[in-house]
């Protein structure tokens, strides 16, 4: 099992969610996060004063998937989150040692 975590632009969340649903993903976790990569934020003008926005708003999507679905899920995220501009985000794939569904006690892939 793997945990796929994607950091994407907030306005791409619905598109990615629909793509994951179409790929057979029935559950995911979404967290509003802030951060920066190579772009190091940007400057904005507010009431005539220029200021730097260091941490940009992003959305973190986490999905637990069986090993055989990882490539399909990563491709769906890439296809539906890409704008071609700086700051599109990243996708991380982690090994997932175990999962337990609290309500039923199911373990492993049956729990996801």
């Amino acid at each position: 099992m793997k945990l796929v975590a994607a950091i994407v632009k907030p306005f791409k969340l619905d598109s990615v969610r629909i793509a994951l649903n179409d790929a057979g993903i029935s559950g995911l976790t979404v967290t509003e996060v802030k951060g920066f990569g190579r772009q190091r934020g940007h400057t904005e003008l507010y009431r005539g004063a220029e200021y730097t926005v260091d941490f940009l708003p992003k959305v973190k999507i986490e999905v637990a998937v069986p090993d055989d679905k990882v490539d399909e899920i990563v491709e769906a995220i890439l296809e539906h989150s890409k704008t071609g501009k700086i700051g599109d985000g990243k996708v991380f794939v982690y090994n997932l040692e175990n999962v337990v569904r609290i309500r039923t006690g199911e373990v492993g892939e049956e729990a996801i």
Side-chain angles (χ1 to χ4, degrees):
M1 293 176 297
K2 304 287 186 196
L3 180 66
V4 178
I7 310 293
V8 301
K9 292 182 176 185
F11 67 90
K12 288 295 194 174
L13 175 59
D14 282 337
S15 178
V16 172
R17 181 186 55 81
I18 291 167
L20 292 176
N21 188 47
D22 291 346
I25 297 300
S26 59
L28 55 88
T29 301
V30 176
T31 310
E32 292 181 9
V33 296
K34 293 184 179 186
F36 65 87
R38 290 186 189 150
Q39 81 269 22
R40 298 274 188 228
H42 63 277
T43 58
E44 289 188 3
L45 197 61
Y46 179 72
R47 295 190 181 191
E50 189 174 282
Y51 66 98
T52 302
V53 178
D54 290 329
F55 295 101
L56 302 173
K58 302 287 183 177
V59 175
K60 182 177 184 181
I61 303 165
E62 295 174 301
V63 183
V65 299
D67 288 334
D68 61 339
K69 294 205 49 123
V70 171
D71 292 336
E72 177 185 358
I73 297 308
V74 170
E75 280 300 315
I77 293 169
L78 293 175
E79 181 180 337
H80 290 87
S81 63
K82 185 176 183 177
T83 66
K85 297 180 181 169
I86 194 163
D88 273 353
K90 296 219 175 16
V91 177
F92 304 92
V93 179
Y94 304 97
N95 286 321
L96 192 56
E97 189 173 318
N98 199 8
V99 178
V100 179
R101 185 183 309 260
I102 295 172
R103 179 178 55 87
T104 62
E106 293 171 299
V107 179
E109 287 190 15
E110 292 80 33
I112 56 175

